[in-house]
Amino acid sequence: MKEQVVLQERRTIAYTLHDKLQSSLWSNRPLEISTFNLENTQTEVTITFETNESTLIGCAQWKNINYRDEEYCLHGKYQR
């Protein structure tokens, strides 16, 4: 049962990170560090963005239901 929760958290966090990364790429400006809590488990997630040349890197960090540190990152390229 806990593993299902872990997988659901990963999916939700990946979708949220993707949406924030896309928003930042379309507006052509990096976002600030943001923190939010997942609705079902109240897991606190921190999202950070970093610009590397023409690439935007967004990473989410959180502690899952099994108290393990997790990180998920996505990369996006700015359109010129």
Side-chain angles (χ1 to χ4, degrees), residues 16 19 30 34 47 77:
T16 304
D19 291 346
S34 63
I47 294 179
K77 207 162 191 62

Side-chain angles (χ1 to χ4, degrees), residues 18-68:
H18 173 267
D19 291 346
K20 289 183 178 285
L21 186 75
Q22 282 294 98
S23 173
S24 182
L25 288 171
W26 284 106
S27 66
N28 209 18
R29 60 190 155 133
L31 296 171
E32 301 292 319
I33 294 173
S34 63
T35 302
F36 66 95
N37 289 331
L38 295 177
E39 288 180 29
N40 296 343
T41 60
Q42 292 303 310
T43 300
E44 185 175 288
V45 181
T46 302
I47 294 179
T48 56
F49 291 94
E50 179 182 315
T51 303
N52 183 354
E53 295 177 22
S54 63
T55 304
L56 179 63
I57 303 165
C59 292
Q61 297 91 20
W62 72 99
K63 199 173 283 283
N64 71 21
I65 196 167
N66 295 320
Y67 303 103
R68 291 192 183 110

